[in-house]
Amino acid sequence: SQQGEEDPQALSIQEGENATMNCSYKTSINNLQWYRQNSGRGLVHLILIRSNEREKHSGRLRVTLDTSKKSSSLLITASRAADTASYFCATDEGSNYKLTFGKGTLLTVNP
Amino acid sequence: NAGVTQTPKFQVLKTGQSMTLQCAQDMNHNSMYWYRQDPGMGLRLIYYSASEGTTDKGEVPNGYNVSRLNKREFSLRLESAAPSQTSVYFCASSARVRGQGYEQYFGPGTRLTVT
C-alpha cells in the first residue's frame, strides 16, 4: 500500500514562479527522499532528508520535514520549463531495504 | 559508468507467453529492486534483493519471479503473461551502506504490452 501521498496531484505554474509540493506519510521513517521523473524516463534522485533533520537545501530545492505531522514539502524556487516533470516522495522505514513511493505530483512549468 | 541498464526497452507479448526482463548495474550496489508503474498508481515494488543471494517479495509479486544472478544482475520473469501485467517496469539499485547512501538509481524502464 502507498505510504507517501503527494499533494497536489497536478500543478501548473509560470516560469520564474516557485512550486511547492507536499507529501504525507503514515508510519515512522528513517529518511524521506524526493525523486523526479521526466516523461518516459526513469526516476532521478533529488534529495534525501533524515528523520532528525528539519530542512535541507540543494541548489533551487528546499525540503522540509515535520515528523510530528508526518509530512514533508518540496519547494522549487525560480522554476524553469525544464523542471516540468513528475515529482515523487519516497519513505524509507529503515528496518528493511525498501522505499515506498507516493503517486506523484505532475508539475508543468509554462514558458 | 552506465549506471543501471535494462533490456529490452519495449516488448509486446501475447497472453500466456513468457519472458525475462534483464537488469544490470555497474555501481557495486548491494540492493536491487523491480517496480512496475501504472497510470495513477505511482511505483509499486514487485520484488527486491537486499543483497546478493537473497530475494524478497514486495507489494505486488503475484505472476512474477526473480533471480539475483550475481551482484550486478537482477532479472524479472513473467512465466505466463496476462493483460494485467501491461505496464512500465523499472529496475533500481542502491548501496544501502552507511556512508555510501540510501538513494536508489533507476534504469530507463521497459514498456511491456500484453495482448
Side-chain angles (χ1 to χ4, degrees):
Chain A
S1 60
Q2 238 71 31
Q3 160 81 304
E5 291 289 338
E6 290 89 345
D7 172 62
Q9 290 187 344
L11 179 62
S12 181
I13 60 173
Q14 296 299 122
E15 222 170 12
E17 294 180 340
N18 295 342
T20 299
M21 288 158 268
N22 302 297
C23 171
S24 59
Y25 58 92
K26 297 174 184 169
T27 64
S28 296
I29 61 170
N30 187 47
N31 66 69
L32 185 144
Q33 303 178 28
W34 285 91
Y35 289 78
R36 184 187 74 225
Q37 183 180 34
N38 290 91
S39 182
R41 303 287 189 93
L43 278 70
V44 174
H45 180 261
L46 294 175
I47 194 165
L48 179 154
I49 186 164
R50 300 187 195 286
S51 60
N52 60 354
E53 297 176 310
R54 292 296 167 257
E55 188 170 312
K56 200 161 182 182
H57 296 254
S58 176
R60 293 184 295 113
L61 305 180
R62 172 179 169 253
V63 170
T64 62
L65 179 64
D66 186 334
T67 53
S68 67
K69 294 181 179 177
K70 291 187 168 59
S71 67
S72 173
S73 67
L74 171 67
L75 168 66
I76 304 174
T77 60
S79 62
R80 306 165 182 168
D83 294 328
T84 293
S86 291
Y87 292 81
F88 295 87
C89 69
T91 52
D92 183 344
E93 295 173 27
S95 58
N96 53 41
Y97 292 82
K98 302 182 288 185
L99 293 181
T100 305
F101 286 84
K103 296 181 181 179
T105 292
L106 176 59
L107 172 66
T108 302
V109 181
N110 301 299
Chain B
N1 288 350
V4 179
T5 57
Q6 291 183 235
T7 55
K9 286 190 168 59
F10 301 93
Q11 184 71 49
V12 178
L13 291 178
K14 292 188 184 338
T15 298
Q17 288 185 318
S18 62
M19 78 161 294
T20 300
L21 281 64
Q22 306 285 355
C23 174
Q25 52 93 7
D26 62 2
M27 295 171 282
N28 201 36
H29 284 168
N30 293 316
S31 301
M32 296 185 74
Y33 308 82
W34 277 105
Y35 296 91
R36 60 178 289 173
Q37 185 176 33
D38 303 293
M41 296 294 292
L43 268 76
R44 292 183 291 171
L45 182 65
I46 305 171
Y47 270 94
Y48 68 103
S49 171
S51 60
E52 186 179 358
T54 70
T55 60
D56 285 285
K57 295 178 181 178
E59 183 185 351
V60 288
N62 290 346
Y64 306 94
N65 284 301
V66 290
S67 295
R68 182 76 183 266
L69 304 169
N70 47 57
K71 193 170 186 179
R72 288 187 64 249
E73 299 171 290
F74 188 39
S75 62
L76 178 72
R77 182 159 179 85
L78 287 71
E79 290 291 351
S80 179
S84 61
Q85 294 178 305
T86 293
S87 188
V88 182
Y89 292 85
F90 288 101
C91 177
S93 70
S94 178
R96 291 203 74 87
V97 173
R98 189 181 292 275
Q100 293 185 27
Y102 291 84
E103 64 270 24
Q104 293 190 5
Y105 293 81
F106 283 78
T110 294
R111 292 184 178 276
L112 175 66
T113 301
V114 183
T115 61

Short mmCIF file of all heavy atoms in Angstrom, two decimals, chain B residues 49-106:
data_model
loop_
_atom_site.label_atom_id
_atom_site.label_comp_id
_atom_site.label_asym_id
_atom_site.label_seq_id
_atom_site.Cartn_x
_atom_site.Cartn_y
_atom_site.Cartn_z
N SER B 49 15.98 -7.43 -3.85
CA SER B 49 17.08 -8.25 -3.39
C SER B 49 17.96 -7.38 -2.51
O SER B 49 18.63 -6.48 -3.00
CB SER B 49 17.87 -8.79 -4.58
OG SER B 49 19.05 -9.42 -4.14
N ALA B 50 17.91 -7.60 -1.22
CA ALA B 50 18.68 -6.77 -0.29
C ALA B 50 20.18 -6.95 -0.50
O ALA B 50 20.95 -5.99 -0.33
CB ALA B 50 18.30 -7.10 1.15
N SER B 51 20.59 -8.14 -0.83
CA SER B 51 22.00 -8.41 -1.09
C SER B 51 22.08 -9.64 -1.98
O SER B 51 21.10 -10.38 -2.15
CB SER B 51 22.76 -8.63 0.21
OG SER B 51 22.22 -9.74 0.91
N GLU B 52 23.27 -9.85 -2.52
CA GLU B 52 23.47 -11.00 -3.40
C GLU B 52 23.08 -12.28 -2.66
O GLU B 52 23.47 -12.48 -1.52
CB GLU B 52 24.94 -11.06 -3.82
CG GLU B 52 25.25 -12.11 -4.84
CD GLU B 52 26.72 -12.10 -5.23
OE1 GLU B 52 27.47 -11.25 -4.72
OE2 GLU B 52 27.12 -12.97 -6.04
N GLY B 53 22.27 -13.11 -3.31
CA GLY B 53 21.86 -14.37 -2.71
C GLY B 53 20.53 -14.33 -2.00
O GLY B 53 20.04 -15.37 -1.55
N THR B 54 19.92 -13.14 -1.89
CA THR B 54 18.61 -13.03 -1.22
C THR B 54 17.62 -12.33 -2.12
O THR B 54 17.97 -11.40 -2.86
CB THR B 54 18.70 -12.27 0.10
OG1 THR B 54 18.96 -10.88 -0.18
CG2 THR B 54 19.79 -12.81 0.99
N THR B 55 16.36 -12.76 -2.06
CA THR B 55 15.28 -12.06 -2.74
C THR B 55 14.05 -12.08 -1.83
O THR B 55 13.87 -13.03 -1.05
CB THR B 55 14.92 -12.69 -4.10
OG1 THR B 55 14.50 -14.05 -3.89
CG2 THR B 55 16.09 -12.66 -5.06
N ASP B 56 13.24 -11.03 -1.95
CA ASP B 56 12.03 -10.95 -1.12
C ASP B 56 10.90 -10.34 -1.92
O ASP B 56 11.14 -9.52 -2.83
CB ASP B 56 12.28 -10.09 0.13
CG ASP B 56 13.10 -10.81 1.16
OD1 ASP B 56 12.53 -11.69 1.83
OD2 ASP B 56 14.30 -10.50 1.27
N LYS B 57 9.68 -10.72 -1.55
CA LYS B 57 8.50 -10.18 -2.22
C LYS B 57 8.25 -8.74 -1.80
O LYS B 57 8.49 -8.37 -0.65
CB LYS B 57 7.27 -11.03 -1.87
CG LYS B 57 7.34 -12.44 -2.39
CD LYS B 57 6.11 -13.23 -1.97
CE LYS B 57 6.20 -14.66 -2.48
NZ LYS B 57 5.03 -15.47 -2.05
N GLY B 58 7.75 -7.97 -2.76
CA GLY B 58 7.31 -6.63 -2.48
C GLY B 58 5.80 -6.58 -2.36
O GLY B 58 5.17 -7.52 -1.89
N GLU B 59 5.24 -5.50 -2.85
CA GLU B 59 3.80 -5.26 -2.71
C GLU B 59 2.96 -6.07 -3.70
O GLU B 59 1.86 -6.51 -3.37
CB GLU B 59 3.55 -3.77 -2.93
CG GLU B 59 2.13 -3.31 -2.76
CD GLU B 59 1.97 -1.83 -3.12
OE1 GLU B 59 3.00 -1.14 -3.34
OE2 GLU B 59 0.82 -1.38 -3.21
N VAL B 60 3.49 -6.29 -4.93
CA VAL B 60 2.70 -6.94 -5.98
C VAL B 60 3.48 -8.07 -6.65
O VAL B 60 3.79 -8.00 -7.84
CB VAL B 60 2.20 -5.91 -7.02
CG1 VAL B 60 1.11 -5.04 -6.44
CG2 VAL B 60 3.36 -5.06 -7.54
N PRO B 61 3.84 -9.15 -5.95
CA PRO B 61 4.71 -10.19 -6.52
C PRO B 61 4.00 -11.23 -7.38
O PRO B 61 4.67 -11.98 -8.12
CB PRO B 61 5.28 -10.85 -5.27
CG PRO B 61 4.17 -10.74 -4.26
CD PRO B 61 3.52 -9.39 -4.53
N ASN B 62 2.68 -11.33 -7.30
CA ASN B 62 1.98 -12.42 -7.98
C ASN B 62 2.16 -12.34 -9.48
O ASN B 62 1.97 -11.30 -10.10
CB ASN B 62 0.48 -12.39 -7.65
CG ASN B 62 0.22 -12.77 -6.20
OD1 ASN B 62 1.10 -13.30 -5.52
ND2 ASN B 62 -0.97 -12.48 -5.73
N GLY B 63 2.53 -13.50 -10.09
CA GLY B 63 2.73 -13.58 -11.52
C GLY B 63 4.16 -13.32 -11.96
O GLY B 63 4.45 -13.35 -13.15
N TYR B 64 5.05 -13.08 -10.99
CA TYR B 64 6.45 -12.76 -11.29
C TYR B 64 7.39 -13.65 -10.49
O TYR B 64 7.05 -14.10 -9.40
CB TYR B 64 6.77 -11.31 -10.95
CG TYR B 64 5.87 -10.28 -11.56
CD1 TYR B 64 4.77 -9.78 -10.88
CD2 TYR B 64 6.13 -9.78 -12.84
CE1 TYR B 64 3.94 -8.83 -11.44
CE2 TYR B 64 5.32 -8.82 -13.41
CZ TYR B 64 4.22 -8.35 -12.71
OH TYR B 64 3.40 -7.41 -13.27
N ASN B 65 8.57 -13.86 -11.05
CA ASN B 65 9.67 -14.47 -10.32
C ASN B 65 10.93 -13.67 -10.60
O ASN B 65 11.02 -12.99 -11.62
CB ASN B 65 9.89 -15.93 -10.76
CG ASN B 65 8.83 -16.84 -10.18
OD1 ASN B 65 8.69 -16.94 -8.97
ND2 ASN B 65 8.08 -17.51 -11.04
N VAL B 66 11.89 -13.77 -9.70
CA VAL B 66 13.14 -13.04 -9.88
C VAL B 66 14.33 -13.95 -9.62
O VAL B 66 14.22 -14.97 -8.95
CB VAL B 66 13.24 -11.80 -8.94
CG1 VAL B 66 12.25 -10.72 -9.35
CG2 VAL B 66 13.04 -12.21 -7.48
N SER B 67 15.47 -13.51 -10.15
CA SER B 67 16.74 -14.19 -9.89
C SER B 67 17.81 -13.13 -9.70
O SER B 67 17.96 -12.25 -10.56
CB SER B 67 17.14 -15.09 -11.06
OG SER B 67 16.23 -16.14 -11.23
N ARG B 68 18.50 -13.20 -8.57
CA ARG B 68 19.69 -12.34 -8.39
C ARG B 68 20.87 -13.19 -8.84
O ARG B 68 21.42 -13.98 -8.09
CB ARG B 68 19.83 -11.93 -6.92
CG ARG B 68 21.01 -10.99 -6.68
CD ARG B 68 20.72 -9.60 -7.13
NE ARG B 68 21.83 -8.68 -6.98
CZ ARG B 68 22.03 -7.89 -5.92
NH1 ARG B 68 21.16 -7.92 -4.91
NH2 ARG B 68 23.05 -7.08 -5.88
N LEU B 69 21.25 -13.00 -10.09
CA LEU B 69 22.22 -13.87 -10.73
C LEU B 69 23.61 -13.70 -10.12
O LEU B 69 24.38 -14.66 -10.00
CB LEU B 69 22.25 -13.58 -12.23
CG LEU B 69 20.87 -13.70 -12.91
CD1 LEU B 69 20.92 -13.13 -14.32
CD2 LEU B 69 20.42 -15.15 -12.93
N ASN B 70 23.95 -12.49 -9.79
CA ASN B 70 25.22 -12.15 -9.14
C ASN B 70 25.03 -10.75 -8.58
O ASN B 70 23.92 -10.22 -8.60
CB ASN B 70 26.39 -12.22 -10.14
CG ASN B 70 26.06 -11.52 -11.44
OD1 ASN B 70 25.71 -10.34 -11.43
ND2 ASN B 70 26.14 -12.24 -12.56
N LYS B 71 26.08 -10.11 -8.12
CA LYS B 71 25.89 -8.80 -7.51
C LYS B 71 25.41 -7.78 -8.53
O LYS B 71 24.70 -6.84 -8.21
CB LYS B 71 27.20 -8.33 -6.86
CG LYS B 71 26.99 -7.13 -5.96
CD LYS B 71 28.22 -6.83 -5.14
CE LYS B 71 27.92 -5.72 -4.14
NZ LYS B 71 29.08 -5.40 -3.30
N ARG B 72 25.78 -7.94 -9.79
CA ARG B 72 25.46 -6.97 -10.82
C ARG B 72 24.05 -7.12 -11.40
O ARG B 72 23.45 -6.15 -11.82
CB ARG B 72 26.45 -7.08 -11.99
CG ARG B 72 27.83 -6.59 -11.73
CD ARG B 72 28.65 -6.61 -13.01
NE ARG B 72 28.12 -5.68 -14.02
CZ ARG B 72 27.55 -6.05 -15.16
NH1 ARG B 72 27.38 -7.32 -15.45
NH2 ARG B 72 27.12 -5.14 -16.01
N GLU B 73 23.56 -8.37 -11.48
CA GLU B 73 22.39 -8.63 -12.30
C GLU B 73 21.19 -9.14 -11.52
O GLU B 73 21.33 -10.00 -10.63
CB GLU B 73 22.76 -9.65 -13.39
CG GLU B 73 23.85 -9.18 -14.32
CD GLU B 73 24.32 -10.30 -15.23
OE1 GLU B 73 24.98 -11.24 -14.74
OE2 GLU B 73 24.02 -10.22 -16.44
N PHE B 74 20.01 -8.64 -11.90
CA PHE B 74 18.77 -9.00 -11.22
C PHE B 74 17.69 -9.08 -12.29
O PHE B 74 17.36 -8.07 -12.91
CB PHE B 74 18.45 -7.92 -10.18
CG PHE B 74 17.30 -8.24 -9.26
CD1 PHE B 74 17.10 -9.51 -8.76
CD2 PHE B 74 16.45 -7.22 -8.83
CE1 PHE B 74 16.07 -9.79 -7.86
CE2 PHE B 74 15.41 -7.48 -7.95
CZ PHE B 74 15.22 -8.77 -7.47
N SER B 75 17.18 -10.29 -12.54
CA SER B 75 16.23 -10.45 -13.64
C SER B 75 14.82 -10.69 -13.10
O SER B 75 14.63 -11.21 -12.00
CB SER B 75 16.65 -11.61 -14.54
OG SER B 75 16.65 -12.83 -13.82
N LEU B 76 13.85 -10.31 -13.92
CA LEU B 76 12.43 -10.45 -13.58
C LEU B 76 11.77 -11.31 -14.65
O LEU B 76 11.88 -11.01 -15.84
CB LEU B 76 11.76 -9.08 -13.54
CG LEU B 76 10.25 -9.06 -13.25
CD1 LEU B 76 9.98 -9.42 -11.78
CD2 LEU B 76 9.65 -7.69 -13.57
N ARG B 77 11.10 -12.37 -14.25
CA ARG B 77 10.49 -13.29 -15.21
C ARG B 77 8.98 -13.31 -15.07
O ARG B 77 8.45 -13.39 -13.95
CB ARG B 77 11.05 -14.70 -15.04
CG ARG B 77 10.49 -15.69 -16.06
CD ARG B 77 11.36 -16.90 -16.23
NE ARG B 77 10.77 -17.83 -17.19
CZ ARG B 77 10.93 -17.74 -18.50
NH1 ARG B 77 11.65 -16.76 -19.03
NH2 ARG B 77 10.38 -18.64 -19.31
N LEU B 78 8.33 -13.22 -16.22
CA LEU B 78 6.88 -13.41 -16.29
C LEU B 78 6.67 -14.79 -16.92
O LEU B 78 7.04 -15.02 -18.07
CB LEU B 78 6.22 -12.36 -17.18
CG LEU B 78 6.10 -10.94 -16.63
CD1 LEU B 78 7.45 -10.23 -16.55
CD2 LEU B 78 5.13 -10.14 -17.50
N GLU B 79 6.15 -15.72 -16.15
CA GLU B 79 6.01 -17.09 -16.64
C GLU B 79 4.86 -17.25 -17.62
O GLU B 79 4.96 -17.97 -18.60
CB GLU B 79 5.80 -18.05 -15.46
CG GLU B 79 7.02 -18.24 -14.58
CD GLU B 79 8.15 -19.00 -15.29
OE1 GLU B 79 7.94 -19.53 -16.40
OE2 GLU B 79 9.25 -19.06 -14.73
N SER B 80 3.76 -16.59 -17.37
CA SER B 80 2.58 -16.68 -18.23
C SER B 80 1.91 -15.31 -18.22
O SER B 80 1.11 -14.99 -17.34
CB SER B 80 1.62 -17.76 -17.71
OG SER B 80 0.46 -17.83 -18.54
N ALA B 81 2.28 -14.50 -19.21
CA ALA B 81 1.88 -13.09 -19.18
C ALA B 81 0.37 -12.93 -19.28
O ALA B 81 -0.32 -13.69 -19.99
CB ALA B 81 2.56 -12.34 -20.32
N ALA B 82 -0.13 -11.92 -18.58
CA ALA B 82 -1.55 -11.58 -18.59
C ALA B 82 -1.70 -10.11 -18.94
O ALA B 82 -0.79 -9.31 -18.66
CB ALA B 82 -2.16 -11.86 -17.22
N PRO B 83 -2.84 -9.72 -19.53
CA PRO B 83 -3.04 -8.30 -19.87
C PRO B 83 -2.86 -7.37 -18.68
O PRO B 83 -2.42 -6.22 -18.86
CB PRO B 83 -4.47 -8.27 -20.40
CG PRO B 83 -4.67 -9.64 -20.98
CD PRO B 83 -3.93 -10.56 -20.06
N SER B 84 -3.14 -7.85 -17.46
CA SER B 84 -2.98 -7.01 -16.27
C SER B 84 -1.51 -6.68 -15.98
O SER B 84 -1.22 -5.82 -15.15
CB SER B 84 -3.59 -7.70 -15.05
OG SER B 84 -2.93 -8.94 -14.82
N GLN B 85 -0.60 -7.37 -16.66
CA GLN B 85 0.82 -7.10 -16.48
C GLN B 85 1.35 -6.07 -17.48
O GLN B 85 2.55 -5.78 -17.49
CB GLN B 85 1.62 -8.40 -16.56
CG GLN B 85 1.30 -9.33 -15.39
CD GLN B 85 2.04 -10.65 -15.47
OE1 GLN B 85 1.96 -11.37 -16.48
NE2 GLN B 85 2.76 -10.98 -14.41
N THR B 86 0.48 -5.54 -18.31
CA THR B 86 0.84 -4.43 -19.17
C THR B 86 1.22 -3.25 -18.28
O THR B 86 0.41 -2.80 -17.46
CB THR B 86 -0.32 -4.04 -20.09
OG1 THR B 86 -0.56 -5.11 -21.02
CG2 THR B 86 -0.03 -2.75 -20.85
N SER B 87 2.46 -2.76 -18.44
CA SER B 87 2.95 -1.74 -17.52
C SER B 87 4.32 -1.28 -17.99
O SER B 87 4.86 -1.78 -18.98
CB SER B 87 3.05 -2.32 -16.10
OG SER B 87 3.36 -1.31 -15.16
N VAL B 88 4.87 -0.31 -17.29
CA VAL B 88 6.27 0.06 -17.46
C VAL B 88 7.03 -0.49 -16.25
O VAL B 88 6.64 -0.25 -15.10
CB VAL B 88 6.45 1.58 -17.56
CG1 VAL B 88 7.93 1.91 -17.78
CG2 VAL B 88 5.61 2.15 -18.70
N TYR B 89 8.08 -1.22 -16.52
CA TYR B 89 8.86 -1.87 -15.46
C TYR B 89 10.20 -1.16 -15.29
O TYR B 89 10.92 -0.92 -16.25
CB TYR B 89 9.09 -3.34 -15.81
CG TYR B 89 7.81 -4.14 -15.76
CD1 TYR B 89 6.95 -4.19 -16.85
CD2 TYR B 89 7.46 -4.83 -14.60
CE1 TYR B 89 5.77 -4.91 -16.80
CE2 TYR B 89 6.28 -5.56 -14.54
CZ TYR B 89 5.43 -5.58 -15.64
OH TYR B 89 4.25 -6.29 -15.58
N PHE B 90 10.50 -0.84 -14.03
CA PHE B 90 11.75 -0.19 -13.72
C PHE B 90 12.57 -1.05 -12.77
O PHE B 90 12.05 -1.59 -11.80
CB PHE B 90 11.50 1.17 -13.05
CG PHE B 90 10.98 2.21 -13.97
CD1 PHE B 90 9.62 2.52 -13.98
CD2 PHE B 90 11.83 2.89 -14.83
CE1 PHE B 90 9.12 3.49 -14.84
CE2 PHE B 90 11.35 3.86 -15.69
CZ PHE B 90 9.99 4.15 -15.70
N CYS B 91 13.85 -1.12 -13.07
CA CYS B 91 14.81 -1.73 -12.17
C CYS B 91 15.57 -0.60 -11.47
O CYS B 91 15.78 0.47 -12.05
CB CYS B 91 15.77 -2.60 -12.98
SG CYS B 91 17.09 -3.36 -12.01
N ALA B 92 15.96 -0.82 -10.24
CA ALA B 92 16.72 0.17 -9.49
C ALA B 92 17.75 -0.53 -8.62
O ALA B 92 17.62 -1.72 -8.32
CB ALA B 92 15.79 1.03 -8.62
N SER B 93 18.76 0.23 -8.21
CA SER B 93 19.75 -0.32 -7.30
C SER B 93 20.11 0.72 -6.25
O SER B 93 19.88 1.93 -6.44
CB SER B 93 21.01 -0.78 -8.06
OG SER B 93 21.73 0.34 -8.55
N SER B 94 20.67 0.25 -5.16
CA SER B 94 21.03 1.14 -4.07
C SER B 94 22.18 0.53 -3.28
O SER B 94 22.24 -0.68 -3.10
CB SER B 94 19.82 1.35 -3.14
OG SER B 94 20.15 2.16 -2.04
N ALA B 95 23.06 1.38 -2.79
CA ALA B 95 24.18 0.89 -1.97
C ALA B 95 23.67 0.40 -0.62
O ALA B 95 24.01 -0.68 -0.15
CB ALA B 95 25.21 2.00 -1.78
N ARG B 96 22.87 1.22 0.04
CA ARG B 96 22.31 0.92 1.36
C ARG B 96 23.39 0.49 2.35
O ARG B 96 23.26 -0.47 3.08
CB ARG B 96 21.19 -0.12 1.29
CG ARG B 96 19.96 0.42 0.62
CD ARG B 96 18.74 -0.35 1.02
NE ARG B 96 18.32 -0.04 2.36
CZ ARG B 96 17.51 0.96 2.69
NH1 ARG B 96 17.04 1.76 1.75
NH2 ARG B 96 17.15 1.16 3.94
N VAL B 97 24.48 1.22 2.31
CA VAL B 97 25.56 1.01 3.27
C VAL B 97 25.86 2.36 3.90
O VAL B 97 25.95 3.36 3.19
CB VAL B 97 26.82 0.46 2.58
CG1 VAL B 97 27.99 0.41 3.55
CG2 VAL B 97 26.55 -0.90 1.98
N ARG B 98 26.01 2.37 5.22
CA ARG B 98 26.28 3.64 5.91
C ARG B 98 27.48 4.31 5.26
O ARG B 98 28.53 3.70 5.06
CB ARG B 98 26.56 3.38 7.38
CG ARG B 98 26.63 4.65 8.21
CD ARG B 98 26.93 4.31 9.66
NE ARG B 98 25.83 3.60 10.31
CZ ARG B 98 24.79 4.19 10.86
NH1 ARG B 98 24.69 5.50 10.85
NH2 ARG B 98 23.84 3.49 11.43
N GLY B 99 27.30 5.57 4.93
CA GLY B 99 28.38 6.34 4.31
C GLY B 99 28.37 6.28 2.80
O GLY B 99 29.08 7.05 2.14
N GLN B 100 27.56 5.38 2.22
CA GLN B 100 27.52 5.27 0.77
C GLN B 100 26.16 5.63 0.21
O GLN B 100 25.98 5.64 -0.99
CB GLN B 100 27.88 3.84 0.33
CG GLN B 100 29.32 3.49 0.63
CD GLN B 100 29.68 2.12 0.08
OE1 GLN B 100 29.10 1.65 -0.88
NE2 GLN B 100 30.65 1.48 0.71
N GLY B 101 25.19 5.92 1.03
CA GLY B 101 23.93 6.43 0.53
C GLY B 101 22.81 5.42 0.52
O GLY B 101 23.03 4.21 0.41
N TYR B 102 21.61 5.94 0.60
CA TYR B 102 20.40 5.12 0.62
C TYR B 102 19.48 5.43 -0.54
O TYR B 102 18.40 4.89 -0.64
CB TYR B 102 19.67 5.33 1.95
CG TYR B 102 20.43 4.75 3.11
CD1 TYR B 102 21.43 5.47 3.74
CD2 TYR B 102 20.16 3.46 3.57
CE1 TYR B 102 22.15 4.93 4.79
CE2 TYR B 102 20.87 2.91 4.63
CZ TYR B 102 21.87 3.66 5.23
OH TYR B 102 22.58 3.12 6.26
N GLU B 103 19.93 6.32 -1.44
CA GLU B 103 19.08 6.65 -2.57
C GLU B 103 19.12 5.52 -3.58
O GLU B 103 20.05 4.71 -3.60
CB GLU B 103 19.53 7.96 -3.22
CG GLU B 103 20.91 7.94 -3.83
CD GLU B 103 21.99 8.35 -2.83
OE1 GLU B 103 21.76 8.22 -1.62
OE2 GLU B 103 23.05 8.79 -3.30
N GLN B 104 18.09 5.48 -4.42
CA GLN B 104 18.02 4.46 -5.46
C GLN B 104 18.31 5.09 -6.81
O GLN B 104 17.97 6.24 -7.08
CB GLN B 104 16.63 3.80 -5.46
CG GLN B 104 16.38 2.99 -4.21
CD GLN B 104 15.12 2.14 -4.27
OE1 GLN B 104 14.45 2.06 -5.30
NE2 GLN B 104 14.81 1.48 -3.16
N TYR B 105 18.97 4.29 -7.65
CA TYR B 105 19.29 4.68 -9.01
C TYR B 105 18.46 3.81 -9.95
O TYR B 105 18.47 2.58 -9.82
CB TYR B 105 20.78 4.48 -9.29
CG TYR B 105 21.65 5.41 -8.48
CD1 TYR B 105 21.95 5.14 -7.15
CD2 TYR B 105 22.16 6.57 -9.04
CE1 TYR B 105 22.73 5.99 -6.39
CE2 TYR B 105 22.96 7.44 -8.30
CZ TYR B 105 23.23 7.14 -6.97
OH TYR B 105 24.00 7.99 -6.23
N PHE B 106 17.79 4.46 -10.88
CA PHE B 106 16.83 3.76 -11.73
C PHE B 106 17.35 3.56 -13.15
O PHE B 106 18.08 4.40 -13.68
CB PHE B 106 15.52 4.55 -11.80
CG PHE B 106 14.68 4.40 -10.58
CD1 PHE B 106 14.98 5.11 -9.42
CD2 PHE B 106 13.60 3.54 -10.57
CE1 PHE B 106 14.21 4.95 -8.27
CE2 PHE B 106 12.82 3.38 -9.43
CZ PHE B 106 13.14 4.09 -8.29
#
